[in-house]
């Protein structure tokens, strides 16, 4: 049985570590795929549960110095607790490292020639290395045993070189004096490297937690407890213990615990956190309610229909979590660079040592440059450049009701120069309404029409029925009823035949006057559908039905055009209705009477001209065109299954979210490029400087201690740059 899981990974210190974990998990028999995201510290694994267990995968990961958290609790509390424990242990090591390292640094500067100072420095340095630096050495040894390497390897080598060289010089100074060299101690460099690198890891962890705050805020929408209705009364229980079919009491002002249906009572529910719609929705018996939404002043009892991971809120959280863990195409290149990064850095360190020892004749400089190169090289910045920006960007999108399915969609969305819009439900409300009526009959005719439309399945029938119901006229059911596909309906009442439908079907007599002719002409020119209601010898009524443009559609189209995006509208509606809506929305490129295959061909033609096309539809009826587009975007209102179909889902019905999504994508990709540029430039400049490139001309040699500080700055700056996405205006 094939299963997919996303598991927290502990003890990773750089992108190389992520690559090591990924490679190890992929090598396990029964694992079909594995992706490790360094920024979110998660492993997405697909495996055959009949061939391998998560416990076995955990053992394999532990064998190379890392760990994964197997949390069967759907709330994720266990994983959260273990990650917090790991964070607090790191925090203790950082505090201890700085408390002990600062005195070592002071002693090395103020009492460098005092032997008692040397022994005190040695004691303090051993404490820092054995307690604060122990994880670096343990991980490095396990990695070397598995023929892998990472940032822990670089730190361990550099600290070992500085410490052992200092220890030898302290115990056997005469060895170097006899050969014309002055022995130096570098205990402060060894301990400050551990202090700086540990501090950098702590800052990274805090910043990475901030990039993932959108997930935590979404998860916080669901309450922890609910009131279960039982035969003998109500009892408060944990939401995790609820089952499908349970009845739950919801009081005024409370959050709804699970998805379900109202079985008694009524209220208004604020669904803005899910759908983005600001107006509370009236809920009564039979209406669906969603987990995480907020009840108004009323009270009701609901029956649970979806619990745990099956609720819409849980699906949204999982969609965002998986999207944040996905890898952009550019990240694959970075991963390949990171895989060879450590061996290359070690080689440069060895070359620098040999060069300054045999060519420069300076043993002290040779040791210093070798250690400095190992410390200053930063695979962290490379590894964090892309995923931190993706996490922050996708989290910001989710907070604005924009669900982006994966990194590929986010990266492609910024390249879009052409948007194809479906009309009904995308540009328009998707709910036809009767805008005008011209009556020649009486209220009895209206009552009968309401009764006829109640039996009709035509999409326009509810609009007519609602219009008559608004006049408080009760329905009169017909004696017989028949639906004529593509034309209308035919009914009889007390021996008289009635027809409701289009002109060719229901206009059985000439229009009675000029007023009726003008009504038909003007409404058709405005793009409205005209419904005829007649008997065999008289016209009873004319009704104009339209699907009105959404309030923000025209502004959304203008914003898209300002962004340099060409807007097209495709619809299966009539040419007159299409032209009217397009004119109102400000769209120049319009095609009417389009079948699914026609929409597919239209998008293909645009792509053949070199356009990058986004298709916006409902995710089901437009599935063929959506699959053809470079980016598929579904318009939803929180319950649409299009969330599972399209690359991007706009959870609200507001089309203005579309230009927001494009702007978010452009900002996110821009920050990724900035991060990668500075990460590469940092290493390209820093490593040669650390190797002593400036020493011959300027006499400058970088100390390992300051190299550690520079390395910390590079990785933290990348994360902080990504966090700017949380404040960018959309």
């Amino acid at each position: 049985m094939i299963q997919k899981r996303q598991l927290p990974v502990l003890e990773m210190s750089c992108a190389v570590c992520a690559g090591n974990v990924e490679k190890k998990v992929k090598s396990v028999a029964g694992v079909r795929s594995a992706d490790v995201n360094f920024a979110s510290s998660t492993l997405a694994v697909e495996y055959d549960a009949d061939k391998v267990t998560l416990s076995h995968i955990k053992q394999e990961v532990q064998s190379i110095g890392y760990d994964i958290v197997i949390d069967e609790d759907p709330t994720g509390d266990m994983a959260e607790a273990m990650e917090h424990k790991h964070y607090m242990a790191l925090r203790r090591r950082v505090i201890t490292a700085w408390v002990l390292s600062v005195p070592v640094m002071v002693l090395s500067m103020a009492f460098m020639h005092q032997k008692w100072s040397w022994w005190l420095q040695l004691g303090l340095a051993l404490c820092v290395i054995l307690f604060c630096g122990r994880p670096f050495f343990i991980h490095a040894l396990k990695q070397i045993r598995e023929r892998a390497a990472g940032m822990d390897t670089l730190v361990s080598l550099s600290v070992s070189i500085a410490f052992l060289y200092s220890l030898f010089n302290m115990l056997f100074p005469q060895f170097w004096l006899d050969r014309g060299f002055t022995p130096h101690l570098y205990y402060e460099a060894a301990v400050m490297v551990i202090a700086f690198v540990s501090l950098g890891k702590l800052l990274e962890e805090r910043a990475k937690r901030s990039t993932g705050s959108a997930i935590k805020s979404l998860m916080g929408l669901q309450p922890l407890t609910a009131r279960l209705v039982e035969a003998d009364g109500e009892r408060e229980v944990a939401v995790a213990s609820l089952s499908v079919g349970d009845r739950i009491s919801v009081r005024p002002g409370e959050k709804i615990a699970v998805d379900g249906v109202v079985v008694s009572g009524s209220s208004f529910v604020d669904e803005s956190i899910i759908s983005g719609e600001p107006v509370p929705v009236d809920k009564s018996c039979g209406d669906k309610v969603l987990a995480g939404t907020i009840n108004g002043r009323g009270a009701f009892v609901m029956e649970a229909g979806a619990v745990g991971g099956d609720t819409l809120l849980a699906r949204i959280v999982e969609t965002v979590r998986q999207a944040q863990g996905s890898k952009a195409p550019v990240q694959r290149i970075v991963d390949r660079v990171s895989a060879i990064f450590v061996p290359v850095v070690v080689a440069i360190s060895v070359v620098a040592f040999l060069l300054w020892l045999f060519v420069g004749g300076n043993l002290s400089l040779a040791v210093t440059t070798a250690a400095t190169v190992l410390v200053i090289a930063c695979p962290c910045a490379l590894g964090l450049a892309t995923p931190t920006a993706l996490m922050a960007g996708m989290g910001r999108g989710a907070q604005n009701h924009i669900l982006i399915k994966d990194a590929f969609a986010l990266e492609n969305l910024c390249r879009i120069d052409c948007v194809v819009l479906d009309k009904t439900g995308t540009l328009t409300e998707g709910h036809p309404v009767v805008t005008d009526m011209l009556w020649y009959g009486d209220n009895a005719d209206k009552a009968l029409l309401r009764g006829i439309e109640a039996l009709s399945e035509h999409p326009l029938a509810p609009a007519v029925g609602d219009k008559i119901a608004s006049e408080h006229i009760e329905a009169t059911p017909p004696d017989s009823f028949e639906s004529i596909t593509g034309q209308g309906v035919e009914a009889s009442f007390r021996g008289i035949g009635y027809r409701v439908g289009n002109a060719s079907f229901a206009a059985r007599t000439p229009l009675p006057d000029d007023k009726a002719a003008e009504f038909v002409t003007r409404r058709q020119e405005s793009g409205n559908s005209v419904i005829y209601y007649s008997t065999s010898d008289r016209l009873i009524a004319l009704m104009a039905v339209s699907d009105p443009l959404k309030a923000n559609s025209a502004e959304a189209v203008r914003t898209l055009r300002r962004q340099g995006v060409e807007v097209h509208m495709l619809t299966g509606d009539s040419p007159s209705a299409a032209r009217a809506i397009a004119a109102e929305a400000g769209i120049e490129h319009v095609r009417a009477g389009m079948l699914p295959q026609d929409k597919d061909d239209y998008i293909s033609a645009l792509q053949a001209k070199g356009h990058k096309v986004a298709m916006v539809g409902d995710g089901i009826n437009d599935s063929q065109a959506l699959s053809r587009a470079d980016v598929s975007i579904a318009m939803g209102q929180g319950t649409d299954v299009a969330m599972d179909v399209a690359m991007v889902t706009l959870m609200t019905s507001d089309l203005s979210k579309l230009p927001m999504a494009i702007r978010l994508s452009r900002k996110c990709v821009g920050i990724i490029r900035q991060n990668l540029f500075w990460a590469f430039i940092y290493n390209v400049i820093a490593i040669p400087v650390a190797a002593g490139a400036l020493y011959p001309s300027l006499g400058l040699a970088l100390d390992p201690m300051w190299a550690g500080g520079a390395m910390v700055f590079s990785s933290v700056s990348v994360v902080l740059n990504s966090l700017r996405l949380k404040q960018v205006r959309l």
Side-chain angles (χ1 to χ4, degrees):
M1 181 175 61
I2 304 301
Q3 293 190 4
K4 293 182 179 180
R5 288 291 298 273
Q6 192 158 356
L7 307 168
V9 184
L10 304 179
E11 310 295 341
M12 291 193 302
S13 58
C14 64
V16 179
C17 297
N20 291 338
V21 175
E22 188 173 298
K23 182 179 179 181
K24 187 65 177 179
V25 175
K26 284 180 177 178
S27 69
V28 177
V31 173
R32 301 184 65 177
S33 67
D35 276 307
V36 176
N37 187 314
F38 173 51
S40 60
S41 297
T42 55
L43 162 68
V45 60
E46 183 179 356
Y47 64 100
D48 188 340
D50 296 327
K51 296 181 180 179
V52 65
T53 64
L54 288 177
S55 297
H56 179 64
I57 295 174
K58 180 183 176 77
Q59 291 173 3
E60 292 295 317
V61 172
Q62 288 175 331
S63 71
I64 58 172
Y66 310 102
D67 198 4
I68 60 174
V69 180
I70 303 174
D71 188 1
E72 301 300 338
D73 183 356
T75 64
D77 289 343
M78 176 184 168
E80 181 73 21
M82 290 193 67
E83 288 174 340
H84 180 70
K85 181 180 178 181
H86 172 70
Y87 175 81
M88 294 306 295
L90 175 60
R91 185 170 176 267
R92 285 193 297 271
R93 290 199 301 271
V94 169
I95 294 173
T96 304
W98 280 96
V99 168
L100 298 178
S101 297
V102 170
V104 174
M105 189 173 176
V106 172
L107 289 170
S108 68
M109 295 173 64
F111 306 98
M112 65 178 69
H113 300 300
Q114 304 294 323
K115 287 190 176 182
W116 64 266
S117 169
W118 299 352
W119 289 100
L120 186 53
Q121 289 180 55
L122 172 62
L124 292 172
L126 279 172
C127 292
V128 173
I129 292 170
L130 294 177
F131 175 71
C132 307
R134 181 176 56 187
F136 295 114
F137 290 92
I138 292 174
H139 296 157
L141 288 172
K142 288 184 177 181
Q143 290 164 12
I144 291 170
R145 188 178 64 195
E146 293 291 326
R147 297 181 180 179
M151 184 180 162
D152 295 320
T153 310
L154 298 179
V155 173
S156 300
L157 285 173
S158 63
V159 170
S160 298
I161 291 171
F163 178 80
L164 294 176
Y165 180 65
S166 300
L167 182 62
F168 185 85
N169 289 353
M170 189 181 78
L171 297 177
F172 308 104
Q174 199 62 39
F175 178 85
W176 299 115
L177 293 172
D178 292 344
R179 289 161 177 77
F181 296 110
T182 301
H184 295 282
L185 302 184
Y186 293 99
Y187 289 130
E188 83 284 356
V191 296
M192 290 303 289
V193 164
I194 291 175
F196 269 121
V197 174
S198 299
L199 176 62
K201 290 304 303 172
L202 185 70
L203 295 175
E204 280 178 26
E205 289 295 327
R206 291 185 63 178
K208 287 193 292 184
R209 285 184 170 199
S210 183
T211 61
S213 60
I215 286 285
K216 291 183 175 63
S217 63
L218 285 172
M219 292 176 67
L221 295 176
Q222 187 172 20
L224 299 177
T225 61
R227 268 183 303 280
L228 182 64
V229 178
E230 298 178 316
D232 55 350
E234 297 180 3
R235 178 169 60 93
E236 190 168 292
V237 298
V239 169
S241 67
L242 293 174
S243 303
V244 174
D246 285 346
R247 297 208 165 188
I248 303 157
S249 172
V250 183
R251 294 178 182 174
E254 290 184 340
K255 287 183 179 178
I256 296 171
V258 295
D259 292 357
V261 177
V262 177
V263 293
S264 67
S266 64
S267 183
F268 283 87
V269 175
D270 180 359
E271 296 185 340
S272 60
I273 56 172
I274 300 292
S275 68
E277 306 295 342
V279 180
V281 182
D282 185 14
K283 300 290 183 180
S284 56
C285 191
D287 290 333
K288 186 172 183 179
V289 289
L290 302 171
T293 57
I294 302 172
N295 182 29
R297 296 182 178 180
F300 59 87
V301 174
M302 60 175 287
E303 183 177 297
V307 299
D310 295 328
T311 66
L312 177 68
L313 178 61
R315 288 169 58 210
I316 292 174
V317 170
E318 187 59 24
T319 297
V320 178
R321 193 197 305 276
Q322 290 180 2
Q324 290 184 332
S326 63
K327 289 186 178 180
V330 68
Q331 182 65 24
R332 306 291 178 181
I333 301 173
V334 175
D335 288 347
R336 287 196 290 269
V337 172
S338 299
I340 62 171
F341 187 87
V342 173
V344 169
V345 169
V346 172
I348 293 173
S349 175
V350 172
V351 170
F353 175 81
L354 296 175
L355 186 67
W356 290 113
L357 179 62
F358 294 110
V359 178
N362 190 330
L363 177 63
S364 179
L365 183 61
V367 172
T368 301
T369 53
T372 305
V373 167
L374 294 171
V375 173
I376 206 167
C378 188
C380 295
L382 287 174
L384 291 168
T386 300
T388 51
L390 289 175
M391 288 177 65
M394 290 172 173
R396 183 70 193 282
Q399 290 171 340
N400 284 275
H401 307 286
I402 302 168
L403 288 184
I404 301 172
K405 202 162 192 177
D406 55 31
F408 176 83
L410 183 68
E411 192 169 331
N412 261 14
L413 193 57
C414 75
R415 301 189 180 101
I416 293 301
D417 61 5
C418 188
V419 168
V420 175
L421 302 173
D422 179 45
K423 180 178 77 72
T424 305
T426 301
L427 282 164
T428 65
E429 293 288 352
H431 304 292
V433 294
V434 174
T435 58
D436 204 358
M437 303 176 79
L438 182 60
W439 275 91
Y440 294 97
D442 53 23
N443 283 348
D445 291 319
K446 288 185 178 181
L448 178 60
L449 178 60
R450 185 181 176 188
I452 292 171
E453 295 291 38
L455 300 174
S456 175
E457 296 180 355
H458 193 277
L460 300 183
V464 175
D466 291 344
K467 179 67 174 177
I468 299 172
S470 68
E471 299 179 21
H472 306 290
I473 296 175
E474 295 297 326
T476 300
D479 297 330
S480 66
F481 175 88
E482 182 182 3
S483 177
I484 313 298
T485 303
Q487 298 184 72
V489 297
E490 191 167 22
S492 66
F493 182 70
R494 295 179 179 175
I496 300 174
Y498 294 84
R499 285 187 179 181
V500 184
N502 57 33
S504 62
F505 175 68
R508 293 182 284 180
T509 61
L511 293 175
D513 50 38
D514 292 339
K515 187 177 181 180
E518 184 180 359
F519 182 95
V520 172
T521 302
R522 290 201 172 186
R523 299 311 181 274
Q524 288 180 338
E525 287 176 351
S526 300
N528 295 351
S529 299
V530 178
I531 298 176
Y532 291 73
Y533 176 33
S534 66
T535 64
S536 59
D537 58 359
R538 70 186 178 102
L539 177 69
I540 301 174
L542 294 171
M543 292 159 285
V545 181
S546 72
D547 186 5
L549 193 72
K550 291 177 183 175
N552 295 320
S553 291
E555 179 58 33
V557 170
R558 286 193 292 270
T559 305
L560 287 169
R561 295 177 67 176
R562 285 196 297 268
Q563 289 177 335
V565 178
E566 197 174 274
V567 183
H568 298 245
M569 187 184 83
L570 306 182
T571 178
D573 210 341
S574 66
S576 59
R579 285 194 298 269
I581 289 294
E584 191 177 351
I587 300 174
E588 298 177 0
H589 307 280
V590 187
R591 288 288 182 88
M594 300 287 280
L595 298 174
Q597 183 60 50
D598 298 327
K599 294 181 180 181
D600 189 317
D601 295 340
Y602 189 89
I603 291 174
S604 296
L606 289 173
Q607 291 170 329
K609 295 178 182 177
H611 289 290
K612 291 292 183 182
V613 183
M615 171 67 190
V616 187
D618 63 9
I620 303 171
N621 298 333
D622 296 307
S623 58
Q624 189 173 349
L626 285 165
S627 63
R628 177 68 59 188
D630 296 289
V631 177
S632 53
I633 302 172
M635 292 291 293
Q637 294 189 21
T639 58
D640 200 334
V641 296
M643 186 175 69
D644 298 325
V645 178
M647 296 179 188
V648 179
T649 299
L650 310 179
M651 296 296 291
T652 172
S653 60
D654 186 356
L655 191 62
S656 65
K657 296 295 182 183
L658 176 56
M660 287 175 62
I662 293 175
R663 178 171 173 78
L664 174 64
S665 172
R666 291 176 178 177
K667 288 287 185 181
C668 187
V669 170
I671 283 182
I672 288 173
R673 288 170 180 165
Q674 292 172 15
N675 287 348
L676 289 174
F677 173 79
W678 288 113
F680 277 111
I681 287 296
Y682 165 81
N683 283 291
V684 167
I685 295 175
I687 292 175
V689 171
L694 299 179
Y695 189 78
S697 58
L698 301 176
L700 295 178
L702 193 62
D703 188 277
M705 175 181 65
W706 299 116
M711 186 273 289
V712 169
F713 174 77
S714 68
S715 56
V716 172
S717 63
V718 162
V719 179
L720 293 178
N721 190 44
S722 297
L723 288 175
R724 291 196 301 117
L725 283 166
K726 300 182 72 175
Q727 280 77 42
V728 70
R729 290 185 62 186
L730 298 180

